[in-house]
Amino acid sequence: MQLSGKVRMNRLFNNGKCLDVAIDHGIANEPDFLIGLEDIERVMGDLIAARPDAIQVNYGQADLLQRAPQREKPALVMRTDVGNAYNAVRHREMWAVLHNPDAPILAALQMDAAAVVVNLYHIPDEPGIFRQCVENIGRLRHACDKYAMPLMIEPLVMAPAGQGAAYGSLGDVEKMVPLVRLARELGADIIKADPTERVEDFHRVVEAARCPTLVRGGGKGELGPVLEKSAALMAQGASGMVYGRNVYQHSHPSRVVSALMAIVHQGASGQQALAIYNQP
């Protein structure tokens, strides 16, 4: 990676670790994802004050982070694609497209992003969206090489229609490892992956990634178990977390950030992190 790319990686990772709080959920066009994000300007201000390592957002909301006057603030991770894979209904056509296919990281450069992120969906019986994702990644990888922008790929093994929530992601390690390996083959600098069904299998995902691997949070869970699982995943070799609903849909998002930062950067246990959250 070029020096400027390493500079951006250093803005994102603190001694190799990162907590990235994702609030890019509006791009999914799914109302349930927006609970807690109704006043995104207030949410952004609270998160900046809580000081995670990064905040993940789309171009149209990135100004809320980058216009903030603080010199020391979280790095920007910019989402580059939009699709319909998260909707609660099955669509006749599944698709995933880049915001700007002609200049796919121009907006990220304009907003001084530290990295860009793109999906790699594997959905049963939907080869079209898989191909679109591969093409998106190819365009991004070329542009990222040109401008020394780190590329985060989000390989997601999705459930067949009719199994639980429509297109919910799975933690099947036997399916995850080949997809994560493909993401690395396509040029990922960072992997954002679901936790495995058995936490003790997550090291296999890290080994397949061969680059910093961040855990995807998914839907909101009870905080105590989320913190316990987060600590266990760090012990399996994760480099940090990309959590959204497990931060902004809880009662005290800033305190969740403090608890997770203790796990990511100080090696706190889930119980210790919960104690941090519960401090008045």
Side-chain angles (χ1 to χ4, degrees), residues 1-9 12 76-81 98 100-109 113-118 135-153 183 186-190:
M1 182 180 292
Q2 299 177 34
L3 176 59
S4 53
K6 291 179 180 178
V7 169
R8 289 190 174 101
M9 287 285 279
L12 188 59
L76 168 64
V77 175
M78 185 174 289
R79 165 70 62 187
T80 60
D81 58 340
L98 294 175
N100 184 353
D102 296 324
I105 65 166
L106 178 59
L109 292 168
V116 294
V117 58
V118 65
E135 291 173 347
N136 291 343
I137 292 168
R139 292 190 187 99
L140 277 169
R141 182 66 271 171
H142 176 73
C144 286
D145 286 340
K146 184 176 181 180
Y147 295 106
M149 178 70 69
L151 175 60
M152 183 189 301
I153 299 179
L186 292 172
D189 298 305
I190 307 161

Side-chain angles (χ1 to χ4, degrees), residues 21-25 33-52 55-57 61 64-65 70 74 243-245 247-254 257:
V21 178
I23 55 172
D24 55 345
H25 295 66
F33 287 10
L34 299 180
I35 297 171
L37 289 180
E38 296 86 354
D39 185 351
I40 194 168
E41 188 163 5
R42 178 190 57 78
V43 172
M44 181 67 82
D46 290 345
L47 289 176
I48 292 171
R51 299 187 66 180
I55 297 175
Q56 183 171 301
V57 72
Q61 307 285 9
L64 296 176
L65 171 60
Q70 298 94 322
Y243 283 3
R245 286 169 283 173
V247 175
Y248 69 77
Q249 287 187 345
H250 282 282
S251 300
H252 303 286
S254 297
V257 169

Side-chain angles (χ1 to χ4, degrees), residues 24-236:
D24 55 345
H25 295 66
I27 213 73
N29 194 30
E30 186 60 34
D32 288 350
F33 287 10
L34 299 180
I35 297 171
L37 289 180
E38 296 86 354
D39 185 351
I40 194 168
E41 188 163 5
R42 178 190 57 78
V43 172
M44 181 67 82
D46 290 345
L47 289 176
I48 292 171
R51 299 187 66 180
D53 297 295
I55 297 175
Q56 183 171 301
V57 72
N58 305 296
Y59 173 75
Q61 307 285 9
D63 65 304
L64 296 176
L65 171 60
Q66 298 299 58
R67 76 185 185 191
Q70 298 94 322
R71 181 179 178 183
E72 299 293 332
K73 58 187 174 185
L76 168 64
V77 175
M78 185 174 289
R79 165 70 62 187
T80 60
D81 58 340
V82 58
N84 63 353
Y86 288 114
N87 296 152
V89 297
R90 184 185 180 98
H91 298 281
R92 290 192 304 273
E93 178 184 358
M94 302 302 300
W95 52 269
V97 298
L98 294 175
H99 294 177
N100 184 353
D102 296 324
I105 65 166
L106 178 59
L109 292 168
Q110 290 172 334
M111 284 294 182
D112 193 28
V116 294
V117 58
V118 65
N119 285 304
L120 177 58
Y121 295 119
H122 187 279
I123 302 175
D125 300 319
E126 295 289 354
I129 194 172
F130 181 78
R131 178 173 178 169
Q132 288 176 21
C133 288
V134 172
E135 291 173 347
N136 291 343
I137 292 168
R139 292 190 187 99
L140 277 169
R141 182 66 271 171
H142 176 73
C144 286
D145 286 340
K146 184 176 181 180
Y147 295 106
M149 178 70 69
L151 175 60
M152 183 189 301
I153 299 179
E154 187 172 351
L156 297 175
V157 176
M158 309 293 272
Q163 293 187 14
Y167 301 113
S169 59
L170 301 175
D172 184 340
V173 69
E174 300 302 333
K175 295 179 180 178
M176 290 175 63
V177 166
L179 193 63
V180 168
R181 175 62 181 265
L182 174 60
R184 176 60 179 172
E185 301 284 347
L186 292 172
D189 298 305
I190 307 161
I191 292 288
K192 173 186 173 186
D194 279 314
T196 47
E197 291 172 353
R198 297 189 334 137
V199 170
E200 56 267 34
D201 289 332
F202 192 76
H203 69 95
R204 294 179 55 190
V205 173
V206 175
E207 291 158 6
R210 205 172 63 79
C211 64
T213 305
L214 304 177
V215 181
R216 175 178 178 268
K220 177 189 174 185
E222 186 180 346
L223 187 58
V226 166
L227 296 175
E228 290 285 350
K229 190 172 185 178
S230 299
L233 288 162
M234 291 297 295
Q236 287 287 307

